[in-house]
Amino acid sequence: MLRSKTCGELRLSDANTTVTLAGWVQTTRDKGGVLWIDLRDRYGITQLLLEDGQTAPELFTTARSLGREFVVQATGTVIERKSKNPNIPTGEIELKVTALTVLNPAKLPPFLIDDDTDGGDDLRMKYRYLDLRRNPVRRNLELRHRMAQQTRIYMDGQGFIEVETPVLIKSTPEGARDFVVPSRMNPGEFYALPQSPQTFKQLLMVSGFDRYYQIVKCFRDEDLRADRQPEFTQIDCEMSFVEQEDVLNMFEGLVRHLFKSVKGIDLAEVPRMTYADAMKLYGSDKPDTRFDMKFVELKGTFDTVDLTSGKGFGVFDSAELVVGINAPGCAHYTRKQMDELTDWVKRPQIGAKGLIYVRYNEDGTLKSSVDKFYSEEDLQKWAVQFGAKPGDLMLIISGDSNKARKQLNELRLEMGNRLGLRDPNVFSTLWVLDFPLLEYGEEEARWFAMHHPFTSPKPEDIPLLESDLGAVRANAYDLVINGTEVGGGSIRIFNRDLQARMFSILGFSDEEAKSQFGFLMDAFEYGAPPHGGLAFGFDRLCSLFGGSDSIRDFIAFPKNNSGRDVMIDSPSEISDKQLDELKIATTVPAK
Amino acid sequence: MLRSKTCGELRLSDANTTVTLAGWVQTTRDKGGVLWIDLRDRYGITQLLLEDGQTAPELFTTARSLGREFVVQATGTVIERKSKNPNIPTGEIELKVTALTVLNPAKLPPFLIDDDTDGGDDLRMKYRYLDLRRNPVRRNLELRHRMAQQTRIYMDGQGFIEVETPVLIKSTPEGARDFVVPSRMNPGEFYALPQSPQTFKQLLMVSGFDRYYQIVKCFRDEDLRADRQPEFTQIDCEMSFVEQEDVLNMFEGLVRHLFKSVKGIDLAEVPRMTYADAMKLYGSDKPDTRFDMKFVELKGTFDTVDLTSGKGFGVFDSAELVVGINAPGCAHYTRKQMDELTDWVKRPQIGAKGLIYVRYNEDGTLKSSVDKFYSEEDLQKWAVQFGAKPGDLMLIISGDSNKARKQLNELRLEMGNRLGLRDPNVFSTLWVLDFPLLEYGEEEARWFAMHHPFTSPKPEDIPLLESDLGAVRANAYDLVINGTEVGGGSIRIFNRDLQARMFSILGFSDEEAKSQFGFLMDAFEYGAPPHGGLAFGFDRLCSLFGGSDSIRDFIAFPKNNSGRDVMIDSPSEISDKQLDELKIATTVPAK
């Protein structure tokens, strides 16, 4: 080794020993004939010392030539520091240098390698290898490593076997768009990269593997919204001879283990809520339950007593749903603030037509933006419904049920932000259960699987497959943490006929179903056990644990929003020879 | 859970408890009013018992309807067996059935689900999910899982961080053929799948990660020789501030840990040999050192005293090299056997022109196929050179040095097979060191990197880059076990100028080098530490540990020699819509 110790391990007990360190020059200070160098590696920082009259002059010459990020090797004697630095573990000692070698010089980095850097996003992506030197970024990847380690410890302990499933598989039309790979040996044919190992893990259950997991790369060729990546990592799991309850318990156990082992947090039992309740109470299937502010209906679809109609306010009279939230302690909002909030919900991304408010003043009076139509007595009834107290502000949206709920969900999250109720270091978990099996795509005029085509309907709802497709509930479940879906899964269909029926509902011809998924349906005829499973979004889980909104910060070499790796400049054109060998041509007009 | 116990865990101490099992019907035996069912799962086999007069008649009806591989759930009481089966851990008990449910019936499998199956390769590949049910195949994948676990335990313990590197990267011309992925968002451009994470792991060293590893899928679009797979798995590692000796010690430690923890074998220290010696003594850079039979030269290039020329035998007189092996105890080979062996080396795959032999008879006389040219005294000198004893057989090949060595290597391995010296349960390891940096491609009339373009020349050989490219040795090393290269690596170049020189030697223009690897050369200018690493072929390592020649047996869902997954029927044609979106067309004439 070019070192005998790392830059993070020397202590006062090492005093008077001779050691060799290697690392990067973080800073140099040259003052009154004394020169200090902070030498950095992954493990820490150690101070090097050179003193006039004590250190050989040629070492001074070398040391004075060092710039930031030079890679050097230093040998010397560990001594006690005169002025100690209590902020770092090596702060009691320094290294009195007797030999100093430049292993590699460094150009001035294009941005500061420091916790707070002056580099913009684009520059840091282009020089990702330098950004990765910064402590916060490196710590994110160390966290990711610990998350993976602890996941494996838990899964191994529960008897799961990690099995690698193939990356070169087959393109299927259902779900998101596939990345494809032309096959040179089979001209005109393509592999696809997996969006998940779904069918393979089900086959492993048919094979009797009983408990499977894998931390695995998956791929989706989707238009990249902020913070989506074309390649992402899943913790993918499947179990045989289980019911929904077993899967929930197993993976609640995993999440609890991760919180305890990685963050030292004893997680409370994960509460459960049906999809229907989540939509009614939060307007979302992934509610942020770090704060309350549940939806309150003044007129609606769930047996709500109508407290709004017939008072001459046409907007509410014609609305399918009148629904609001009570923002605690916000009665002080000024007219200007209300106008700004109204504009916020009217932005195209939210799309509300307007925002009605009722201020519950500290003196007990009520003041609303619809005083023209509703008496103080009416508003009092609303306040009771909202459970509002003096000092609160009720915010009400109306219209089509689905749209109004979505809009109010956005407003609720925004109010949570404004009220500081969404602390990234507070964790609130939730199982959302009983998802609909199917959802109707108006545009395509057909039914789609809400999770995927392999999800089992609830046995008691199977008759509804013949009468009311929208009412069929699935044995499907999502794990939500802080308003983010971090995992989801289901009990699977394991019967050929039911699987065929499902494909038929989704608009597959018998032939299409057979050519795409015949192998799976065949497998169901050779002794398939009941099975179910779950997959966690590993990048997202890591970012949540790291208290960050950005999954990119937890991926070593992420791609930008155009799917480009700007560091290596990929994707790129390939040679005509490659195209010829693959028997493909691009149809892009020459530039 | 649909079971309270697995089929592998019940013991006599569980007698009189009521349990529920679930699994697959292995066999049923119906004899004299008693019916036994062997119920199988991943964990073992438990015998179920139904008895006339004791078991409800409707259970008999269900039990008699069961076929092989039916999935059933059985509840009952654990009782002591009358006739115990000492061959299985559950052999002391059986389950007296009180409830029996068919969870899923099964069609008759297309081949026997048994340790010895009657299914041919093709059938077993098509129904891979059934083949995976067989104990030997499942055990292979369990071995693989343990190998991965133990690898991680060792690497984690040595302070390595697992970092995931991207799968969608950039196509580069050097090395094997890339699989490519058209980018929809960047029309006309392609990603490539990595042949290894080489440049990324080097960048992680530049980032200061110090010790990196990953168990990672890699891809090569090569013509598939037997037992090559287009996607394969590597244990990929890199370390900073190291010299060759450090890397060898670290990974010798890994191999020793794996042998100990997975196979219970205390591995001896791994011997070391230079590439030059390996070629001289075995004619191969991956010699099988389970047996001796080293090459002996009678005339050659390595200061060998010429014992063959000038006796009128033109074949040897004109040969660059006359080299042989001594096959111990083979003097009894008949003329017929010798003819057959001669034919064997003359096959096109080996390509020898002929085979000369010298029989060292038990009575001390020598008899050769070139008695016409060489006296007994000549042959005696040869025998001394060979270290032959009475009863041995010397086998000699001559010709061009490289060809003769390759041919004799094949013959040596064949003789090892014939003499039973290549026991798959005996393990012999070897580091091969000091590989040439470059090899000349006659066809392309240029130099190629023997390992890859990032391998560092030995510092003392750097001057030879200007004078004698073929003589430059690399800081490169391979780990060989039983004649198979299971891992290889090198100390890397970490200096921009040397890397640029290397690309230039390999025929890259400055522009090509910059466009393909500019990011890496740039990185070397911002403080790159000395670093090196190694990658193990994980599939191969598993197959070696499993005592098998076939890596396919250690991959859950392998592809065949045409790169096809015959189970899912991939690759396959994709839709015109997909091609249009990707802005590509196939140039294969319509069928």
Side-chain angles (χ1 to χ4, degrees):
Chain A
M1 294 287 296
L2 300 178
R3 66 186 176 213
S4 64
K5 295 282 179 183
T6 71
C7 294
E9 63 182 309
L10 292 172
R11 300 289 182 273
L12 201 48
S13 57
D14 297 299
N16 300 318
T17 60
T18 299
V19 304
T20 300
L21 303 180
W24 287 260
V25 173
Q26 179 79 18
T27 54
T28 57
R29 275 163 301 141
D30 195 346
K31 201 174 163 188
V34 185
L35 202 148
W36 291 277
I37 301 168
D38 274 355
L39 193 67
R40 187 196 71 227
D41 66 12
R42 178 182 125 198
Y43 311 95
I45 284 182
T46 299
Q47 184 167 291
L48 311 182
L49 172 73
L50 295 92
E51 279 180 295
D52 243 353
Q54 303 228 15
T55 310
E58 64 272 21
L59 293 191
F60 260 100
T61 311
T62 303
R64 291 215 163 92
S65 76
L66 299 177
R68 276 176 180 265
E69 303 303 320
F70 272 46
V71 183
V72 303
Q73 183 189 43
T75 300
T77 311
V78 182
I79 59 170
E80 184 170 359
R81 265 206 221 182
K82 279 177 198 137
S83 73
K84 303 201 165 54
N85 179 352
N87 299 320
I88 59 171
T90 63
E92 293 196 298
I93 59 89
E94 58 196 341
L95 190 74
K96 198 171 168 178
V97 176
T98 55
L100 187 65
T101 309
V102 176
L103 297 172
N104 214 349
K107 291 203 300 195
L108 192 67
F111 51 85
L112 267 181
I113 312 289
D114 222 329
D115 289 11
D116 291 313
T117 180
D118 55 351
D121 266 6
D122 291 349
L123 202 60
R124 285 188 292 117
M125 288 282 273
K126 181 167 164 57
Y127 295 95
R128 180 69 175 172
Y129 50 87
L130 295 180
D131 203 27
L132 286 170
R133 274 189 201 162
R134 300 193 307 116
N135 283 325
V137 185
R138 201 199 58 239
R139 273 198 294 263
N140 288 345
L141 292 173
E142 287 173 345
L143 172 74
R144 186 180 177 114
H145 174 53
R146 283 201 306 281
M147 300 274 293
Q149 277 180 323
Q150 292 299 334
T151 297
R152 290 199 166 94
I153 286 170
Y154 179 85
M155 301 305 286
D156 292 349
Q158 298 289 335
F160 285 77
I161 298 185
E162 188 165 23
V163 181
E164 292 174 58
T165 52
V167 176
L168 296 172
I169 64 164
K170 180 174 173 147
S171 189
T172 57
E174 195 67 12
R177 212 180 276 109
D178 285 324
F179 282 105
V180 298
V181 180
S183 167
R184 184 182 53 86
M185 294 182 74
N186 303 276
E189 299 188 328
F190 293 78
Y191 302 100
L193 304 182
Q195 297 182 27
S196 94
Q198 183 63 35
T199 52
F200 290 98
K201 70 176 173 176
Q202 292 191 241
L203 290 177
L204 286 172
M205 295 303 103
V206 175
S207 299
F209 274 69
D210 204 66
R211 296 183 168 196
Y212 144 91
Y213 86 103
Q214 192 182 187
I215 300 182
V216 61
K217 275 280 174 76
C218 300
F219 306 86
R220 273 181 209 165
D221 185 12
E222 289 179 345
D223 295 323
L224 300 176
R225 284 182 277 165
D227 223 34
R228 275 227 191 134
Q229 287 283 315
E231 54 179 298
F232 54 98
T233 303
Q234 277 187 192
I235 306 173
D236 192 51
C237 311
E238 199 78 3
M239 307 168 71
S240 288
F241 300 116
V242 289
E243 296 168 299
Q244 176 168 304
E245 189 64 27
D246 306 309
V247 182
L248 298 185
N249 289 335
M250 180 61 72
F251 294 102
E252 190 165 326
L254 170 59
V255 171
R256 183 168 287 120
H257 174 79
L258 288 176
F259 270 104
K260 183 68 183 172
S261 60
V262 176
K263 298 203 65 85
I265 292 174
D266 283 300
L267 197 69
E269 197 179 325
V270 178
R272 299 177 182 194
M273 185 179 286
T274 64
Y275 172 86
D277 278 351
M279 294 309 291
K280 182 179 173 187
L281 297 173
Y282 298 100
S284 167
D285 60 359
K286 42 177 191 283
D288 185 345
T289 49
R290 276 174 297 187
F291 64 106
D292 198 24
M293 236 189 267
K294 290 195 189 75
F295 286 15
V296 173
E297 299 189 358
L298 299 179
K299 170 187 177 181
T301 51
F302 291 98
D303 302 327
T304 310
V305 176
D306 184 350
L307 297 175
T308 65
S309 295
K311 303 291 174 131
F313 185 45
V315 172
F316 280 5
D317 286 354
S318 64
E320 190 183 8
L321 179 71
V322 179
V323 62
I325 52 173
N326 181 49
C330 291
H332 61 81
Y333 265 44
T334 61
R335 179 61 185 263
K336 196 177 154 202
Q337 281 177 298
M338 282 313 309
D339 286 350
E340 182 266 331
L341 202 58
T342 305
D343 287 345
W344 190 90
V345 297
K346 285 166 119 175
R347 293 179 315 150
Q349 302 98 304
I350 313 292
K353 294 249 170 61
L355 178 65
I356 305 299
Y357 67 87
V358 183
R359 218 182 256 126
Y360 203 148
N361 295 314
E362 293 287 355
D363 63 6
T365 60
L366 290 151
K367 169 77 190 146
S368 83
S369 55
V370 285
D371 281 354
K372 214 194 289 183
F373 306 103
Y374 298 98
S375 67
E376 178 120 7
E377 197 187 342
D378 292 332
L379 299 181
Q380 197 65 50
K381 283 186 192 154
W382 294 7
V384 169
Q385 186 80 347
F386 272 99
K389 294 189 302 290
D392 291 352
L393 177 70
M394 289 158 265
L395 300 167
I396 302 164
I397 278 176
S398 65
D400 166 76
S401 292
N402 287 339
K403 283 187 187 159
R405 288 203 178 95
K406 272 188 193 149
Q407 292 156 2
L408 189 62
N409 168 50
E410 297 289 342
L411 179 61
R412 177 180 173 272
L413 295 175
E414 174 66 15
M415 293 308 293
N417 284 338
R418 292 185 184 205
L419 290 166
L421 301 171
R422 304 182 72 193
D423 181 347
N425 295 308
V426 169
F427 296 95
S428 179
T429 58
L430 181 72
W431 283 115
V432 178
L433 308 176
D434 298 352
F435 277 82
L437 183 68
L438 300 156
E439 56 186 343
Y440 195 72
E442 297 288 349
E443 209 172 304
E444 303 84 350
R446 75 163 176 98
W447 290 94
F448 285 84
M450 195 145 182
H451 272 68
H452 54 55
F454 314 106
T455 299
S456 172
K458 284 189 179 291
E460 61 270 32
D461 288 0
I462 288 181
L464 292 172
L465 286 175
E466 308 309 321
S467 56
D468 185 359
L469 290 174
V472 179
R473 291 165 307 158
N475 267 330
Y477 31 81
D478 278 358
L479 181 69
V480 176
I481 303 182
N482 292 2
T484 297
E485 181 212 319
V486 295
S490 62
I491 299 298
R492 324 297 184 186
I493 297 169
F494 66 106
N495 168 287
R496 185 190 179 109
D497 292 340
L498 185 55
Q499 188 66 68
R501 174 87 187 94
M502 191 68 191
F503 284 128
S504 150
I505 288 167
L506 298 175
F508 285 66
S509 71
D510 282 0
E511 201 179 311
E512 285 167 343
K514 204 176 157 188
S515 90
Q516 299 293 339
F517 296 109
F519 63 96
L520 186 67
M521 293 197 289
D522 286 351
F524 287 169
E525 293 194 303
Y526 287 105
H531 60 286
L534 185 139
F536 289 96
F538 188 57
D539 311 288
R540 175 63 63 203
L541 197 63
C542 290
S543 76
L544 253 168
F545 270 63
S548 166
D549 279 339
S550 162
I551 64 168
R552 258 190 223 174
D553 294 348
F554 294 79
I555 294 172
F557 299 101
K559 293 183 177 57
N560 73 9
N561 278 349
S562 317
R564 294 200 74 83
D565 181 329
V566 295
M567 181 185 71
I568 63 172
D569 191 23
S570 163
S572 60
E573 289 181 10
I574 59 174
S575 69
D576 290 342
K577 176 164 177 280
Q578 282 175 293
L579 293 171
D580 288 348
E581 284 185 333
L582 294 169
K583 300 270 191 294
I584 58 170
T586 79
T587 58
V588 182
K591 280 164 196 167
Chain B
M1 293 290 294
L2 300 178
R3 67 183 177 216
S4 64
K5 295 281 179 185
T6 71
C7 295
E9 62 183 311
L10 293 172
R11 299 289 182 275
L12 201 49
S13 56
D14 298 299
N16 301 315
T17 59
T18 299
V19 303
T20 300
L21 303 180
W24 286 260
V25 173
Q26 179 80 18
T27 55
T28 58
R29 275 163 300 143
D30 195 346
K31 199 173 164 188
V34 184
L35 202 147
W36 290 277
I37 301 167
D38 274 355
L39 193 67
R40 187 197 71 228
D41 66 12
R42 178 182 125 196
Y43 312 96
I45 283 183
T46 299
Q47 183 166 287
L48 312 182
L49 172 74
L50 295 93
E51 278 180 294
D52 243 354
Q54 302 226 19
T55 308
E58 64 272 21
L59 292 193
F60 260 100
T61 312
T62 303
R64 291 213 164 92
S65 76
L66 299 178
R68 274 176 181 265
E69 303 302 319
F70 272 47
V71 184
V72 304
Q73 182 189 44
T75 300
T77 310
V78 182
I79 59 170
E80 185 169 0
R81 268 206 220 181
K82 277 173 200 140
S83 73
K84 303 201 166 54
N85 178 353
N87 299 321
I88 58 172
T90 63
E92 294 197 296
I93 58 92
E94 58 196 341
L95 191 73
K96 198 171 167 177
V97 176
T98 56
L100 189 64
T101 309
V102 176
L103 297 173
N104 215 349
K107 290 203 300 197
L108 193 68
F111 52 85
L112 267 180
I113 312 290
D114 223 329
D115 289 12
D116 290 312
T117 182
D118 56 351
D121 265 7
D122 291 350
L123 203 60
R124 286 189 291 118
M125 287 282 272
K126 179 168 164 62
Y127 295 95
R128 180 69 175 171
Y129 48 87
L130 296 180
D131 204 29
L132 285 171
R133 274 189 201 160
R134 299 193 308 115
N135 283 326
V137 186
R138 202 199 58 238
R139 274 198 294 263
N140 288 346
L141 292 173
E142 288 172 345
L143 172 74
R144 186 180 175 114
H145 174 53
R146 281 201 307 283
M147 300 274 291
Q149 277 180 325
Q150 292 298 335
T151 298
R152 289 197 167 94
I153 286 170
Y154 180 84
M155 301 305 286
D156 292 349
Q158 298 289 336
F160 284 76
I161 298 184
E162 188 166 22
V163 180
E164 294 174 56
T165 52
V167 175
L168 296 171
I169 65 164
K170 180 173 173 149
S171 188
T172 57
E174 194 68 13
R177 214 181 274 109
D178 285 324
F179 282 106
V180 299
V181 181
S183 167
R184 184 181 52 86
M185 295 181 75
N186 303 276
E189 298 188 330
F190 294 77
Y191 302 100
L193 304 182
Q195 297 181 31
S196 95
Q198 183 62 34
T199 52
F200 291 97
K201 70 176 174 177
Q202 292 192 243
L203 290 177
L204 286 172
M205 294 303 103
V206 176
S207 299
F209 274 69
D210 204 66
R211 295 184 167 197
Y212 143 92
Y213 86 103
Q214 194 182 186
I215 300 182
V216 62
K217 276 277 174 75
C218 300
F219 306 86
R220 274 183 209 166
D221 185 12
E222 289 179 346
D223 295 323
L224 300 176
R225 283 182 278 168
D227 222 36
R228 275 230 188 131
Q229 289 282 315
E231 53 179 299
F232 55 97
T233 303
Q234 276 188 193
I235 307 174
D236 191 51
C237 311
E238 198 78 5
M239 306 168 72
S240 289
F241 300 115
V242 290
E243 295 168 299
Q244 176 168 303
E245 188 64 27
D246 307 309
V247 181
L248 298 184
N249 288 334
M250 179 62 70
F251 294 103
E252 191 165 326
L254 170 60
V255 172
R256 182 168 287 121
H257 173 80
L258 288 175
F259 269 103
K260 183 68 184 170
S261 59
V262 175
K263 297 203 67 84
I265 292 174
D266 284 300
L267 197 69
E269 198 179 324
V270 178
R272 301 175 181 194
M273 185 178 285
T274 63
Y275 170 87
D277 278 351
M279 294 309 291
K280 180 179 175 188
L281 297 172
Y282 298 100
S284 166
D285 59 0
K286 40 178 195 279
D288 185 344
T289 50
R290 277 174 297 187
F291 63 106
D292 199 24
M293 236 188 267
K294 291 195 189 74
F295 286 15
V296 173
E297 300 188 0
L298 299 181
K299 168 186 178 182
T301 51
F302 291 97
D303 301 325
T304 311
V305 176
D306 184 349
L307 297 177
T308 62
S309 297
K311 303 289 174 134
F313 185 44
V315 173
F316 282 5
D317 286 354
S318 66
E320 189 182 9
L321 180 71
V322 179
V323 62
I325 52 173
N326 181 50
C330 291
H332 60 80
Y333 265 44
T334 61
R335 179 63 185 259
K336 197 175 154 202
Q337 280 176 298
M338 283 313 309
D339 286 349
E340 184 264 329
L341 203 58
T342 305
D343 287 345
W344 191 90
V345 298
K346 286 166 118 175
R347 293 178 315 148
Q349 301 97 303
I350 313 290
K353 295 244 170 65
L355 178 64
I356 306 299
Y357 66 86
V358 184
R359 220 182 255 130
Y360 202 148
N361 295 315
E362 295 286 357
D363 64 5
T365 60
L366 290 152
K367 169 79 190 143
S368 82
S369 53
V370 285
D371 280 354
K372 211 191 295 181
F373 307 102
Y374 298 98
S375 66
E376 178 121 3
E377 196 186 342
D378 292 330
L379 298 180
Q380 198 64 50
K381 282 185 193 154
W382 296 6
V384 169
Q385 185 82 346
F386 272 101
K389 293 189 303 290
D392 292 352
L393 177 70
M394 290 159 265
L395 300 167
I396 302 165
I397 278 177
S398 64
D400 165 77
S401 292
N402 287 339
K403 282 186 188 160
R405 288 203 177 96
K406 272 188 195 148
Q407 291 155 4
L408 189 62
N409 167 51
E410 296 291 341
L411 179 62
R412 176 179 174 272
L413 295 175
E414 174 65 14
M415 291 310 293
N417 285 337
R418 293 185 183 203
L419 291 167
L421 301 172
R422 303 181 73 193
D423 181 345
N425 296 309
V426 168
F427 297 94
S428 179
T429 58
L430 182 71
W431 283 115
V432 179
L433 307 176
D434 299 352
F435 278 81
L437 182 69
L438 299 157
E439 55 187 344
Y440 195 72
E442 297 288 349
E443 208 171 307
E444 303 86 350
R446 73 164 177 97
W447 290 93
F448 286 84
M450 195 146 183
H451 272 69
H452 53 55
F454 314 107
T455 299
S456 173
K458 285 194 179 287
E460 61 268 34
D461 288 0
I462 288 182
L464 292 172
L465 287 175
E466 309 309 322
S467 56
D468 185 359
L469 289 174
V472 180
R473 290 165 308 157
N475 267 328
Y477 32 81
D478 277 358
L479 182 69
V480 176
I481 303 181
N482 291 2
T484 297
E485 180 213 319
V486 297
S490 61
I491 299 297
R492 324 298 184 187
I493 297 169
F494 67 107
N495 169 285
R496 185 192 178 106
D497 292 340
L498 184 56
Q499 188 65 69
R501 174 86 186 96
M502 191 68 191
F503 284 127
S504 152
I505 288 168
L506 298 174
F508 285 66
S509 70
D510 282 0
E511 202 180 310
E512 285 166 343
K514 202 175 159 186
S515 91
Q516 300 292 339
F517 296 109
F519 62 96
L520 186 68
M521 292 197 288
D522 286 351
F524 288 169
E525 293 194 302
Y526 287 106
H531 61 286
L534 186 140
F536 289 96
F538 189 56
D539 310 286
R540 176 61 63 202
L541 196 63
C542 290
S543 76
L544 252 168
F545 270 63
S548 167
D549 279 340
S550 162
I551 63 167
R552 259 192 220 171
D553 295 347
F554 294 79
I555 294 173
F557 299 101
K559 291 181 179 59
N560 73 10
N561 278 350
S562 316
R564 294 201 72 84
D565 182 329
V566 295
M567 180 184 71
I568 63 172
D569 190 23
S570 162
S572 60
E573 289 182 7
I574 60 174
S575 68
D576 290 342
K577 179 164 175 280
Q578 283 175 292
L579 292 171
D580 288 348
E581 285 185 332
L582 294 170
K583 301 269 189 297
I584 59 169
T586 79
T587 58
V588 182
K591 284 166 197 168

